[in-house]
Amino acid sequence: MKRPIAYFCAEYAFDKNVSTYAGGLGVLAGDYLKEASDQNLPVVAVGLMYGDTRLSPVLEIDVPIQDQDIRVKVYKHMVGVIPVYLLSCSGKLYTTDKETRLKQEIILGIGGLRALEALGIHPIAYHLNEGHSAFLALELIRHEMQEHKIGFEEAIIIARKRIIFTNHTLVAAGREVCSNDLVALMLAGYAQELGVPVAEVVKLGLVQESSTFSMTMLSLRMSEKINAVSKLHAKKAAEIWTDHPMIAVTNGIHLKTWDQVGENLISGHQRQKQKLIKDFGWDPKTLVLGWARRFVEYKRPLAILENLDRLQTLPVKIIFSGEPHESDVKGHEMLDTLLNLIKTKIGDQVVYIPNYNLEIAKHMVSGCDVWLNTPIVGFEACGTSGMKAALNGTLPCSTRDGWVDEAELYGLGWILENENLGQNILDILERDIVPMYYHRPDQWQSHMKNARDMAINQFSTTRMLSEYLDKLYPVSVK
């Protein structure tokens, strides 16, 4: 077998029974693995196992944290032909406790590389999907120092040549930072193994002129190639990280996973819609809008509800789903506001589906008629739910953020203004969407077909992976 690409990610969505993902990053990583399997590419994946599992460990390794070695179990899960090695880890995904999170990231990065070594797997390159696994760069440096009998600085140059980094977030809250003192404490024992002062190790991830350590900065400095996940994201990233230009490779979706309508788009979509709304007592002929993703302020979930009097004159129903991050106070406030409005003012025009997960996502992207996507432009690195919706004939109604900035929605959807969003949504509903849905069904069906064609032709993981091979991966992987 060719030497593989080692793909590292803190979360993967590949099995609804295994709690190894929290949101979009994990869904993208799961889609990537399925596509790599379809194409039979030499890829091995590394991640974390949160909590209990039915899997049996394949080996155990030691990972240095603070001044002791921690015993870590390694489990194996297959996604098609791709092996995924999951390292056991206390706690839950994306804990708010900085110390626990840092320990998880040391286990993922340093432990992940040690696990591959113990298994006799020697990757040709390491692909970091977000910065959570950036500590693998340190283990790579250690490996080069030992193997070639060279110093720390020289090993950094060699290690960098083998690391590829995909950045997914421009939002400050998503770029993990902590104090350099905490990182120094956690890496003290490891720095001794390296034979390098801990301050030298920590320096690799320091935000300039500060005492803050950033996993993103460590990833940027230690990667030979860096990619953004849409063209707009690459442009915005260049304004933030001027010394680290990014190649734009727009995310895609695994078509087989997300296609819920099959050969006959119109009847398939109608079937999915009836499944979705069966518990709500709604007429299946009613226009249904969907909004489902993480409840966070920049995504503006409640924009459509700003003028309830006007909304209630429209013959539409709305389904919301999605959860706030546990530490996001504003996100929880917005969700509480929504639930309170449903209870006291809106009645059955709006419903909220709790416990958002992969299955609910599949029902919603294939059963709604219109997909609302309302982020502040420049905040959503890519966003893929609209691609999944379009694949199933659910028409996009979106601000021009992330992937939508490079899509042509004429004849298949509607662009929302970034300003005066609440008013603009209602204007477009009144003027364009409602009249077409109820009075021009042929035109609506033509839009559905165009939306599906766009998703298949432009926004699949097949296209995304082919760009990885052309722009990011070593030639020998092809």
Side-chain angles (χ1 to χ4, degrees):
M1 179 185 170
K2 293 177 183 172
R3 287 175 66 192
I5 294 287
Y7 186 84
F8 276 66
C9 190
E11 52 171 307
Y12 293 93
F14 44 59
D15 184 336
K16 64 182 179 189
N17 300 313
V18 184
S19 58
T20 50
Y21 75 99
L25 181 71
V27 174
L28 184 277
D31 278 14
Y32 165 91
L33 295 184
K34 291 171 197 169
E35 186 65 47
S37 176
D38 291 349
Q39 295 190 27
N40 208 20
L41 287 176
V43 169
V44 57
V46 178
L48 293 173
M49 173 64 75
Y50 304 89
D52 298 328
T53 175
R54 301 184 310 271
L55 302 172
S56 301
V58 290
L59 80 152
E60 293 186 3
I61 52 162
D62 288 326
V63 180
I65 296 178
Q66 285 176 269
D67 54 359
Q68 58 183 319
D69 279 346
I70 305 294
R71 200 81 176 141
V72 172
K73 290 186 170 74
V74 182
Y75 301 87
K76 183 180 180 180
H77 179 91
M78 296 298 291
V79 175
V81 299
I82 306 293
V84 186
Y85 293 99
L86 299 166
L87 283 71
S88 74
C89 164
S90 63
K92 52 194 169 193
L93 196 48
Y94 300 141
T95 171
T96 51
D97 170 16
K98 293 268 188 202
E99 187 175 319
T100 303
R101 189 70 189 137
L102 203 52
K103 287 175 180 174
Q104 290 176 346
E105 290 171 334
I106 292 168
I107 289 169
L108 176 60
I110 294 172
L113 207 53
R114 289 190 175 186
L116 293 180
E117 218 163 272
L119 289 159
I121 297 168
H122 305 291
I124 191 163
Y126 298 84
H127 184 165
L128 317 186
N129 192 39
E130 252 315 347
H132 310 111
S133 50
F135 287 130
L136 80 79
L138 304 181
E139 184 68 359
L140 212 49
I141 290 167
R142 187 177 81 93
H143 179 77
E144 297 298 341
M145 288 170 75
Q146 286 181 341
E147 180 135 317
H148 300 293
K149 306 287 184 284
I150 55 176
F152 184 62
E153 295 298 329
E154 208 179 333
I156 289 173
I157 294 164
I158 298 172
R160 274 189 83 244
K161 289 186 165 58
R162 296 175 63 195
I163 299 175
I164 298 148
F165 172 46
T166 297
N167 172 265
H168 285 267
T169 183
L170 296 165
V171 182
R175 303 199 298 268
E176 287 193 52
V177 293
C178 51
S179 80
N180 61 348
D181 291 342
L182 180 60
V183 180
L185 177 70
M186 291 297 155
L187 291 177
Y190 188 72
Q192 280 185 320
E193 277 189 37
L194 276 172
V196 174
V198 74
E200 287 299 298
V201 178
V202 173
K203 194 168 76 175
L204 291 173
L206 283 186
V207 175
Q208 276 178 325
E209 296 170 10
S210 81
S211 56
T212 303
F213 182 93
S214 158
M215 295 299 281
T216 300
M217 286 315 305
L218 178 59
S219 305
L220 291 169
R221 289 192 185 118
M222 285 307 304
S223 300
E224 174 87 345
K225 290 182 177 173
I226 306 161
N227 80 284
V229 290
S230 72
K231 289 173 183 168
L232 181 62
H233 176 209
K235 202 166 101 185
K236 295 283 180 188
E239 295 166 13
I240 301 171
W241 299 295
T242 48
D243 297 337
H244 303 282
M246 296 191 190
I247 300 160
V249 179
T250 303
N251 284 342
I253 57 171
H254 186 247
L255 299 178
K256 279 185 252 177
T257 295
W258 293 101
D259 183 0
Q260 304 294 295
V261 296
E263 295 282 302
N264 193 322
L265 170 62
I266 308 304
S267 64
H269 181 83
Q270 199 55 35
R271 183 182 68 245
Q272 290 301 114
K273 182 176 180 179
Q274 287 176 327
K275 265 196 231 171
L276 175 66
I277 66 171
K278 72 176 187 302
D279 296 331
F280 308 145
W282 294 349
D283 182 342
K285 294 194 182 76
T286 302
L287 175 61
V288 176
L289 317 178
W291 190 102
R293 52 188 58 76
R294 188 171 286 291
F295 258 70
V296 63
E297 197 169 12
Y298 80 82
K299 293 180 191 275
R300 300 186 287 190
L302 307 184
I304 193 172
L305 306 179
E306 284 170 12
N307 186 338
L308 285 182
D309 291 341
R310 194 173 163 202
L311 175 64
Q312 287 171 319
T313 66
L314 295 172
V316 301
K317 303 285 191 183
I318 309 168
I319 302 174
F320 283 93
S321 193
E323 311 284 336
H325 188 281
E326 65 178 67
S327 63
D328 181 1
V329 175
K330 185 66 183 172
H332 283 282
E333 281 173 10
M334 289 189 301
L335 181 53
D336 290 344
T337 300
L338 172 65
L339 297 175
N340 192 46
L341 283 174
I342 290 171
K343 206 158 132 188
T344 60
K345 292 190 178 169
I346 308 174
D348 86 333
Q349 189 177 15
V350 177
V351 297
Y352 172 75
I353 302 176
N355 307 316
Y356 188 56
N357 60 19
L358 275 182
E359 293 307 300
I360 293 169
K362 284 180 183 177
H363 285 307
M364 284 191 66
V365 295
S366 61
C368 294
D369 297 303
V370 171
W371 197 251
L372 281 176
N373 184 43
T374 47
I376 298 168
V377 173
F379 278 68
E380 193 77 84
C382 182
T384 58
S385 65
M387 300 172 187
K388 295 157 191 166
L391 176 67
N392 289 284
T394 297
L395 305 186
C397 182
S398 175
T399 55
R400 203 177 271 288
D401 201 20
W403 71 274
V404 180
D405 186 60
E406 60 203 72
E408 175 50 77
L409 295 195
Y410 179 76
L412 58 87
W414 299 270
I415 292 290
L416 294 167
E417 291 169 10
N418 196 36
E419 310 297 328
N420 304 316
L421 178 65
Q423 182 184 320
N424 186 233
I425 293 172
L426 296 178
D427 288 346
I428 287 175
L429 278 168
E430 275 178 2
R431 186 184 66 232
D432 301 322
I433 297 176
V434 168
M436 189 198 297
Y437 179 83
Y438 285 105
H439 305 301
R440 300 193 298 278
D442 289 352
Q443 190 180 1
W444 189 274
Q445 290 181 9
S446 161
H447 273 52
M448 289 172 71
K449 286 170 183 162
N450 293 343
R452 182 172 172 82
D453 287 347
M454 174 194 70
I456 291 168
N457 296 331
Q458 292 175 253
F459 295 107
S460 70
T461 43
T462 309
R463 186 268 311 148
M464 180 185 88
L465 221 60
S466 130
E467 289 192 47
Y468 281 175
L469 288 165
D470 286 345
K471 300 176 180 179
L472 302 174
Y473 288 174
V475 175
S476 62
V477 177
K478 296 179 191 180

